[in-house]
Amino acid sequence: MTHDPPASASSSPPDGPPPAEDGAGAARATGRAEQGGQGEQGEQGERARDSGKRRRRIHVTLPGCWGALVLACLSFTPSLLPRGGVLQGLICGISAAIGYGIGVVAAFVWRAFADRDARSPSLRSWLVLLVCSVVLFGLAFGLGQYWQHRIRRLMEVTDYSTLATVACPFVAVVVFYLLLMAGRGLRRLYHGAARLLGRWIGPRAARVVGWLLVAGVAWSVVSGVLLGGFVNAANEAFSVRDTETPEGVHQPTSVLRSGGPGSLVPWDSLGRQGRAFTGSGPTAQDIGAFTRRTAREPVRAYAGLSTAEDTETRAERAVADLQRAGGFGRQNLLVTTTTGSGWVDPAAVDSFEYLGNGDTATVAMQYSYLPSWLSYLVDQSKAREAGRELFDAVYDVWSKLPQGERPRLFVAGESLGSFGGETAFSGEYDLRNRTAGTLFAGPPNFNTLFREFSDHRDAGSPEIEPVYKEGRTVRFTDDPATGVTPADRAWDGTRVLYLMHPSDPIVWWSPSLALSEPDWIGQAPGGDVLEEMVWMPFVTFWQVTADLPFSTGVPDGHGHTYKAAYVDGWNAVMRPEGFTAQDLDRLREIVRPPQD
C-alpha cells in the first residue's frame, strides 16, 4: 500500500514528468527532499522508503490494480486467429501491465487536479477489488474459451491443449510481475540519475534531465543492444541453415533450371530456398497429364545471396541465367519477389505453370537469410531494393525484344514479397502499362500501393474487400473461386488482383491499432472473423501483434495461408483457355498439400 509523506516534508508537488510507475506520493516526497538541498533527513527518508520496498517485494496500488484487472479481462476478447493458453497468458500479462500503468497515471493526474496527496486504501477497498477480480476474471476467462472455441470451428482447427489453457493465468501473472519489476527498475534509475544530477544543476532540471536520460538509455538498449543483438544472432543462425538442402530436393538435371547443367548460377550459391525452388516443381509430363495437351518444361531462374555481393549484380545474374535458359522465348514470364529467406510459395508458381501449360518462365532472387516474420520487421528496405532491381533488370531485356516476340509479363509476390514487388511501380497506370497482370497475396498493411488503393476505395466498399476506381484494373478478394467484385463491371486489359483473408494479421497489423480504430474492425467482419471482435486501445494492438508469428499455422484459406486461392487467382489474371470448373478443382488438389 502507498504511504502518506511525512509531515516534515510537506510542500507543493515538484514539477517535471510524473514517474512511469506507481508511488506518486513517494515521488513527490523525493522531489521535496531534493528541493530542500538533499539534507540528511531527506536522504534518510529515501533510504528508508527504498528499504521498505525491498522488504515488501511486491507492492501495488489500488488504482493500478483496477486498471490491470480491466485490461486483463478485456484481453480475452477475440482477435483474428485462435490463441493457445500460453499465448493468451502472454497477452493478458502485457495488457495487465499496461492497464496498471494507466491506472497509476490516472490516479496521479486526478490527485493533481484535486490538490491532495495519496491515501492508504482501506481494507474494505482491497476486499472489493479481490471479489471483483475473482468474478470478473473468471467470467472473462470463460467467455474467452467460448470465443476461442468458435474461432477454431470457423477455421477447422482441431489442436487444443487443456494443460496450456490451465497455465494461462499463471503465465499472465509471471509476465505482469516481470514487466512491473522492469518498470520499477527504470523508476529507481530515474531517481538515482536525478539525485546525481542534482549535485550540479537545480532539482527541477535534474528531474527532467534524469527522466529523459533514463528513457533514452532504455530505448537505446531495447532497440540497439537487445533487438540488434537478436537480429545479428538470428542472421548468423539462419545463414548456416541456408547452406542446407531441403529433404527430397536434388540438383536439377535440366538446362532450364538455375543450378543445372550450363547454368550461370552455381547450385551451391542458390541457398536453401533457391535450391527448393529450382530443384522441384511440375515437369512437362505432370503438366500434360493435367491439361491433356502436349506441355513444355517450365523455366525457373534464381539467384541466391551467395551468387553476388550486391542486389543489382544478383538481379543481373538471375536475368542472365533466365535469358540463357530461353525464358524470354516463353509465352508467359513471371517475376516474383521472395519472402524473407528467399522462399517462393510453390502453390503460386506451380499454379502459374499448370495454367500456362508449361510455356512459362519464372525468375526470383533472395535478399535475406531471415525468415519471413523477422524480415517483415527488419528487412523491409532489402525487400524494396530486391523487388525493384529484379523487375527493372527483366524489363530492360524484355522491352528491347520485338513487340511481337515478347512474352506476357506478370508480377507476383506474397507477404513481404508483395511489398517488394510493388516498389517497381508508381501506381495503377504503371502496373497496367508495364505488365500483363499481377497477383499479390497477403499484402502487409504498410504496402504503399495497397494502402493507396485501399484508402482511396470507392465510397461504400468495405476495407476487407475494397473497390478501387470501379475495379477497372485493381481488384481485391478473399476467395477468387467465388468471384471477384465488382462482378457487374468490365475488367479489361491488365488485371491486378490482391488476395487477402479477413483473418490475416499480416494484412491488418499496424502500429496505429494501438490508438485508433481501423475501418475493417468497425465494419462487418469477414466470414472467418467473429462479430464479437471489437477495437480497444492497446489491447487490440497486442492481440493482433501476437497473431503475427502464428499467421501461417492455420488451415489453407485462413490467416496468412494461401494455397488453393492461387489457382483461381491466376485463372482470373492470366485468363487461360480450355479449363473447366472441374479442371480447376483438380488443380487445387494438386497444388494444395493433403495436410492443408
Side-chain angles (χ1 to χ4, degrees), residues 42-104:
E43 291 288 349
Q44 291 174 349
E46 183 67 28
R47 287 194 296 270
R49 282 188 295 273
D50 289 343
S51 176
K53 288 179 182 178
R54 284 194 296 270
R55 286 194 301 269
R56 283 175 287 176
R57 299 183 68 83
I58 302 178
H59 164 67
V60 291
T61 67
L62 187 64
C65 288
W66 276 110
L69 174 62
V70 171
L71 261 69
C73 291
L74 293 177
S75 72
F76 286 95
T77 56
S79 61
L80 297 173
L81 300 177
R83 298 193 295 264
V86 175
L87 180 60
Q88 177 61 64
L90 176 65
I91 297 173
C92 182
I94 293 175
S95 299
I98 294 174
Y100 185 87
I102 293 174
V104 168

Coordinates of all heavy atoms in Angstrom, one line a residue, residues 42-104:
G42 N 16.2 14.1 4.3 CA 15.6 13.7 3.1 C 16.3 12.4 2.6 O 15.7 11.5 2.1
E43 N 17.7 12.3 2.8 CA 18.4 11.1 2.4 C 18.0 9.9 3.2 O 17.9 8.8 2.7 CB 19.9 11.4 2.5 CG 20.5 12.4 1.5 CD 20.6 11.9 0.1 OE1 20.4 10.6 0.0 OE2 20.8 12.7 -0.8
Q44 N 17.9 10.1 4.5 CA 17.5 9.0 5.4 C 16.1 8.5 5.0 O 15.8 7.3 5.0 CB 17.5 9.4 6.8 CG 18.9 9.7 7.3 CD 19.0 10.2 8.7 OE1 17.9 10.6 9.3 NE2 20.1 10.3 9.4
G45 N 15.2 9.5 4.7 CA 13.8 9.1 4.3 C 13.8 8.3 3.1 O 13.0 7.3 2.9
E46 N 14.6 8.7 2.1 CA 14.7 8.0 0.8 C 15.2 6.6 1.0 O 14.7 5.6 0.5 CB 15.6 8.8 -0.2 CG 15.6 8.1 -1.5 CD 14.3 8.2 -2.3 OE1 13.6 9.1 -2.0 OE2 14.1 7.3 -3.1
R47 N 16.3 6.5 1.9 CA 16.8 5.1 2.1 C 15.8 4.2 2.8 O 15.7 3.0 2.6 CB 18.1 5.2 2.9 CG 19.3 5.8 2.1 CD 20.6 5.5 2.9 NE 20.6 6.3 4.1 CZ 21.1 7.5 4.2 NH1 21.6 8.1 3.2 NH2 21.1 8.1 5.4
A48 N 15.0 4.8 3.7 CA 14.0 4.1 4.5 C 12.9 3.6 3.5 O 12.5 2.4 3.6 CB 13.4 4.9 5.6
R49 N 12.5 4.5 2.6 CA 11.5 4.0 1.7 C 12.0 2.9 0.8 O 11.3 2.0 0.5 CB 11.0 5.2 0.9 CG 10.0 6.1 1.6 CD 9.4 7.2 0.7 NE 10.4 8.1 0.2 CZ 10.8 9.2 0.8 NH1 10.3 9.5 2.0 NH2 11.7 10.0 0.3
D50 N 13.2 3.1 0.3 CA 13.8 2.0 -0.6 C 13.9 0.7 0.2 O 13.6 -0.4 -0.4 CB 15.1 2.4 -1.1 CG 15.0 3.5 -2.1 OD1 13.9 3.7 -2.7 OD2 16.1 4.2 -2.4
S51 N 14.3 0.8 1.4 CA 14.4 -0.4 2.2 C 13.1 -1.1 2.5 O 12.9 -2.3 2.4 CB 15.1 -0.1 3.6 OG 15.2 -1.2 4.4
G52 N 12.1 -0.2 2.7 CA 10.7 -0.8 2.9 C 10.2 -1.5 1.7 O 9.6 -2.5 1.8
K53 N 10.5 -0.9 0.5 CA 10.0 -1.5 -0.7 C 10.7 -2.8 -1.0 O 10.1 -3.8 -1.5 CB 10.3 -0.6 -1.9 CG 9.3 0.6 -1.9 CD 9.6 1.6 -3.0 CE 8.7 2.8 -3.0 NZ 9.0 3.7 -4.1
R54 N 12.0 -2.9 -0.6 CA 12.7 -4.2 -0.8 C 12.1 -5.3 0.1 O 12.0 -6.4 -0.3 CB 14.2 -4.0 -0.5 CG 14.9 -3.3 -1.7 CD 16.4 -3.4 -1.5 NE 16.9 -2.8 -0.3 CZ 17.3 -1.5 -0.3 NH1 17.3 -0.7 -1.4 NH2 17.7 -1.0 0.8
R55 N 11.7 -4.9 1.3 CA 11.2 -5.9 2.2 C 9.8 -6.3 1.8 O 9.5 -7.5 1.9 CB 11.1 -5.3 3.7 CG 12.4 -5.1 4.4 CD 12.2 -4.8 5.8 NE 11.4 -3.6 6.1 CZ 11.9 -2.4 6.3 NH1 13.3 -2.3 6.2 NH2 11.2 -1.4 6.5
R56 N 9.0 -5.4 1.2 CA 7.7 -5.8 0.8 C 7.7 -6.6 -0.5 O 6.8 -7.3 -0.8 CB 6.8 -4.6 0.6 CG 6.3 -4.0 2.0 CD 5.6 -2.7 1.8 NE 6.5 -1.7 1.5 CZ 6.1 -0.4 1.2 NH1 4.8 -0.2 1.1 NH2 6.9 0.5 0.9
R57 N 8.7 -6.3 -1.3 CA 9.0 -7.0 -2.6 C 7.9 -6.7 -3.6 O 8.1 -6.2 -4.7 CB 9.2 -8.5 -2.4 CG 10.4 -8.8 -1.5 CD 10.6 -10.3 -1.4 NE 11.0 -10.9 -2.7 CZ 12.2 -10.9 -3.1 NH1 13.2 -10.4 -2.4 NH2 12.5 -11.5 -4.3
I58 N 6.6 -7.1 -3.3 CA 5.5 -6.9 -4.2 C 4.6 -5.8 -3.6 O 3.9 -6.1 -2.6 CB 4.7 -8.2 -4.5 CG1 5.6 -9.3 -5.1 CG2 3.6 -7.9 -5.4 CD1 4.9 -10.6 -5.3
H59 N 4.7 -4.6 -4.2 CA 3.9 -3.5 -3.7 C 3.1 -2.9 -4.8 O 3.7 -2.6 -5.8 CB 4.8 -2.5 -3.1 CG 4.2 -1.1 -2.9 ND1 3.2 -0.9 -2.0 CD2 4.4 0.1 -3.5 CE1 2.8 0.3 -2.0 NE2 3.5 1.0 -2.9
V60 N 1.8 -2.9 -4.7 CA 0.9 -2.4 -5.8 C 0.0 -1.3 -5.2 O -0.3 -1.3 -4.0 CB 0.1 -3.5 -6.4 CG1 1.1 -4.4 -7.2 CG2 -0.7 -4.3 -5.4
T61 N -0.5 -0.5 -6.1 CA -1.5 0.5 -5.7 C -2.9 0.1 -6.1 O -3.1 -0.7 -7.1 CB -1.2 1.9 -6.4 OG1 -1.4 1.8 -7.8 CG2 0.2 2.3 -6.1
L62 N -3.9 0.6 -5.5 CA -5.3 0.2 -5.8 C -5.7 0.7 -7.1 O -6.3 -0.1 -7.9 CB -6.2 0.8 -4.7 CG -7.7 0.3 -4.8 CD1 -7.8 -1.2 -4.6 CD2 -8.5 1.1 -3.8
P63 N -5.5 1.9 -7.5 CA -5.9 2.4 -8.9 C -5.2 1.5 -10.0 O -5.8 1.2 -11.0 CB -5.4 3.8 -8.9 CG -5.4 4.3 -7.5 CD -4.9 3.1 -6.8
G64 N -3.9 1.2 -9.7 CA -3.1 0.4 -10.7 C -3.7 -1.0 -10.9 O -3.9 -1.5 -12.0
C65 N -4.1 -1.6 -9.7 CA -4.7 -2.9 -9.8 C -6.1 -2.9 -10.5 O -6.4 -3.8 -11.2 CB -4.9 -3.4 -8.4 SG -3.4 -3.9 -7.6
W66 N -6.9 -1.8 -10.3 CA -8.1 -1.8 -11.1 C -7.9 -1.7 -12.6 O -8.5 -2.3 -13.4 CB -9.0 -0.6 -10.6 CG -9.8 -0.9 -9.4 CD1 -9.6 -0.4 -8.1 CD2 -10.9 -1.7 -9.3 NE1 -10.5 -0.9 -7.3 CE2 -11.4 -1.7 -8.0 CE3 -11.6 -2.5 -10.2 CZ2 -12.5 -2.4 -7.5 CZ3 -12.7 -3.2 -9.8 CH2 -13.1 -3.1 -8.5
G67 N -6.9 -0.8 -12.9 CA -6.5 -0.7 -14.4 C -6.1 -2.1 -14.9 O -6.4 -2.5 -16.0
A68 N -5.2 -2.8 -14.1 CA -4.7 -4.1 -14.6 C -5.8 -5.1 -14.7 O -5.9 -5.9 -15.7 CB -3.7 -4.6 -13.6
L69 N -6.8 -5.1 -13.8 CA -7.9 -6.0 -13.9 C -8.8 -5.8 -15.1 O -9.1 -6.7 -15.8 CB -8.8 -5.9 -12.6 CG -10.1 -6.7 -12.6 CD1 -9.8 -8.2 -12.7 CD2 -10.9 -6.3 -11.4
V70 N -9.1 -4.5 -15.4 CA -9.9 -4.2 -16.6 C -9.3 -4.6 -17.9 O -9.9 -5.3 -18.7 CB -10.2 -2.7 -16.6 CG1 -10.9 -2.3 -17.9 CG2 -11.1 -2.3 -15.4
L71 N -8.0 -4.3 -18.1 CA -7.4 -4.6 -19.4 C -7.1 -6.1 -19.4 O -7.1 -6.7 -20.5 CB -6.1 -3.8 -19.6 CG -6.3 -2.6 -20.5 CD1 -7.2 -1.6 -19.8 CD2 -5.0 -2.0 -20.9
A72 N -6.8 -6.8 -18.3 CA -6.6 -8.2 -18.3 C -7.8 -8.9 -18.7 O -7.8 -9.9 -19.5 CB -6.1 -8.7 -16.9
C73 N -9.0 -8.5 -18.3 CA -10.3 -9.1 -18.7 C -10.5 -8.9 -20.1 O -11.0 -9.8 -20.9 CB -11.4 -8.6 -17.8 SG -11.3 -9.1 -16.1
L74 N -10.3 -7.7 -20.6 CA -10.5 -7.3 -22.0 C -9.6 -8.1 -22.9 O -9.9 -8.3 -24.1 CB -10.4 -5.8 -22.2 CG -11.4 -4.9 -21.6 CD1 -11.1 -3.5 -21.8 CD2 -12.8 -5.3 -22.1
S75 N -8.5 -8.5 -22.5 CA -7.5 -9.3 -23.3 C -8.1 -10.6 -23.8 O -7.5 -11.2 -24.7 CB -6.2 -9.5 -22.6 OG -6.3 -10.5 -21.6
F76 N -9.1 -11.1 -23.2 CA -9.7 -12.4 -23.5 C -10.7 -12.2 -24.7 O -11.2 -13.2 -25.2 CB -10.4 -13.0 -22.4 CG -9.5 -13.6 -21.3 CD1 -9.1 -12.9 -20.2 CD2 -8.9 -14.9 -21.5 CE1 -8.2 -13.4 -19.3 CE2 -8.0 -15.4 -20.6 CZ -7.7 -14.6 -19.5
T77 N -11.0 -11.0 -25.1 CA -11.9 -10.8 -26.2 C -11.2 -11.4 -27.5 O -10.0 -11.4 -27.6 CB -12.2 -9.3 -26.4 OG1 -11.0 -8.6 -26.6 CG2 -13.0 -8.8 -25.3
P78 N -11.9 -11.8 -28.5 CA -11.3 -12.5 -29.7 C -10.6 -11.5 -30.6 O -10.9 -10.3 -30.6 CB -12.5 -13.1 -30.4 CG -13.7 -12.2 -30.0 CD -13.4 -11.8 -28.6
S79 N -9.6 -12.1 -31.3 CA -8.8 -11.3 -32.3 C -9.0 -12.1 -33.6 O -10.0 -12.8 -33.8 CB -7.4 -11.1 -31.9 OG -6.7 -12.3 -31.8
L80 N -8.0 -12.1 -34.5 CA -8.1 -12.7 -35.8 C -7.9 -14.2 -35.8 O -8.6 -14.9 -36.6 CB -7.1 -12.1 -36.7 CG -7.3 -10.6 -37.0 CD1 -6.2 -10.0 -37.8 CD2 -8.7 -10.3 -37.7
L81 N -7.0 -14.7 -35.0 CA -6.7 -16.2 -35.0 C -6.9 -16.8 -33.7 O -7.0 -16.1 -32.6 CB -5.2 -16.3 -35.4 CG -4.8 -15.8 -36.8 CD1 -3.3 -15.9 -37.0 CD2 -5.6 -16.4 -37.9
P82 N -7.1 -18.1 -33.7 CA -7.2 -18.8 -32.4 C -6.0 -18.8 -31.6 O -4.9 -18.8 -32.1 CB -7.5 -20.3 -32.8 CG -7.1 -20.4 -34.2 CD -7.2 -19.1 -34.8
R83 N -6.1 -18.6 -30.3 CA -4.9 -18.5 -29.4 C -4.8 -19.6 -28.4 O -5.9 -20.0 -27.8 CB -5.0 -17.2 -28.6 CG -4.9 -15.9 -29.5 CD -4.7 -14.7 -28.6 NE -5.8 -14.4 -27.7 CZ -6.8 -13.6 -27.9 NH1 -6.8 -12.9 -29.1 NH2 -7.7 -13.4 -27.0
G84 N -3.6 -20.2 -28.2 CA -3.4 -21.2 -27.2 C -3.3 -20.5 -25.8 O -3.3 -19.3 -25.7
G85 N -3.3 -21.4 -24.8 CA -3.3 -20.8 -23.4 C -2.1 -20.0 -23.1 O -2.2 -19.0 -22.4
V86 N -0.9 -20.5 -23.5 CA 0.3 -19.8 -23.2 C 0.3 -18.4 -23.9 O 0.7 -17.4 -23.3 CB 1.6 -20.6 -23.6 CG1 2.8 -19.8 -23.4 CG2 1.6 -21.9 -22.8
L87 N -0.1 -18.4 -25.1 CA -0.1 -17.1 -25.8 C -1.1 -16.2 -25.2 O -0.9 -14.9 -25.1 CB -0.4 -17.3 -27.3 CG -0.5 -16.1 -28.2 CD1 0.8 -15.4 -28.2 CD2 -1.0 -16.5 -29.6
Q88 N -2.3 -16.7 -24.8 CA -3.3 -15.9 -24.2 C -2.7 -15.3 -22.8 O -3.0 -14.1 -22.5 CB -4.5 -16.7 -23.9 CG -5.6 -15.9 -23.2 CD -6.1 -14.7 -23.9 OE1 -6.7 -14.8 -25.0 NE2 -5.9 -13.5 -23.3
G89 N -2.0 -16.1 -22.1 CA -1.4 -15.6 -20.9 C -0.4 -14.5 -21.1 O -0.3 -13.5 -20.3
L90 N 0.4 -14.6 -22.2 CA 1.3 -13.6 -22.5 C 0.6 -12.3 -22.8 O 0.9 -11.2 -22.3 CB 2.2 -14.0 -23.7 CG 3.1 -13.0 -24.3 CD1 4.2 -12.7 -23.3 CD2 3.8 -13.5 -25.6
I91 N -0.5 -12.3 -23.6 CA -1.2 -11.1 -24.0 C -1.9 -10.6 -22.7 O -1.9 -9.4 -22.5 CB -2.3 -11.5 -25.0 CG1 -1.6 -11.9 -26.3 CG2 -3.2 -10.3 -25.3 CD1 -2.6 -12.5 -27.4
C92 N -2.4 -11.4 -21.9 CA -3.1 -11.0 -20.7 C -2.1 -10.3 -19.8 O -2.4 -9.2 -19.2 CB -3.7 -12.2 -20.0 SG -4.6 -11.8 -18.5
G93 N -0.9 -10.8 -19.6 CA 0.1 -10.2 -18.7 C 0.5 -8.8 -19.3 O 0.7 -7.9 -18.5
I94 N 0.7 -8.7 -20.6 CA 1.1 -7.4 -21.1 C 0.0 -6.4 -21.0 O 0.2 -5.3 -20.6 CB 1.5 -7.6 -22.6 CG1 2.8 -8.5 -22.8 CG2 1.7 -6.3 -23.3 CD1 3.1 -8.8 -24.2
S95 N -1.2 -6.9 -21.3 CA -2.4 -5.9 -21.1 C -2.5 -5.5 -19.7 O -2.8 -4.3 -19.4 CB -3.6 -6.6 -21.6 OG -3.5 -7.0 -23.0
A96 N -2.4 -6.4 -18.8 CA -2.5 -6.0 -17.3 C -1.4 -5.0 -16.9 O -1.7 -4.1 -16.2 CB -2.4 -7.3 -16.5
A97 N -0.2 -5.2 -17.4 CA 0.8 -4.2 -17.1 C 0.5 -2.9 -17.7 O 0.8 -1.8 -17.0 CB 2.2 -4.7 -17.6
I98 N 0.0 -2.8 -18.9 CA -0.4 -1.5 -19.5 C -1.5 -0.9 -18.7 O -1.5 0.3 -18.4 CB -0.8 -1.7 -20.9 CG1 0.4 -2.2 -21.8 CG2 -1.4 -0.5 -21.5 CD1 0.0 -2.5 -23.2
G99 N -2.5 -1.8 -18.3 CA -3.6 -1.3 -17.5 C -3.2 -0.7 -16.1 O -3.7 0.3 -15.7
Y100 N -2.2 -1.4 -15.5 CA -1.7 -1.0 -14.3 C -1.1 0.4 -14.4 O -1.3 1.3 -13.6 CB -0.6 -1.9 -13.7 CG -0.1 -1.6 -12.4 CD1 -0.8 -2.1 -11.2 CD2 1.0 -0.8 -12.2 CE1 -0.4 -1.8 -9.9 CE2 1.4 -0.5 -10.9 CZ 0.8 -1.0 -9.8 OH 1.2 -0.7 -8.5
G101 N -0.3 0.6 -15.5 CA 0.4 1.9 -15.7 C -0.7 3.0 -15.9 O -0.6 4.1 -15.4
I102 N -1.7 2.7 -16.7 CA -2.8 3.6 -17.0 C -3.5 4.0 -15.7 O -3.8 5.2 -15.4 CB -3.8 3.1 -18.0 CG1 -3.1 2.9 -19.3 CG2 -5.0 4.0 -18.1 CD1 -4.0 2.3 -20.4
G103 N -3.8 3.0 -14.8 CA -4.4 3.3 -13.6 C -3.6 4.2 -12.6 O -4.1 5.1 -12.0
V104 N -2.3 3.9 -12.6 CA -1.4 4.7 -11.7 C -1.4 6.2 -12.2 O -1.5 7.1 -11.5 CB 0.0 4.1 -11.7 CG1 1.0 5.1 -11.1 CG2 0.0 2.8 -10.9

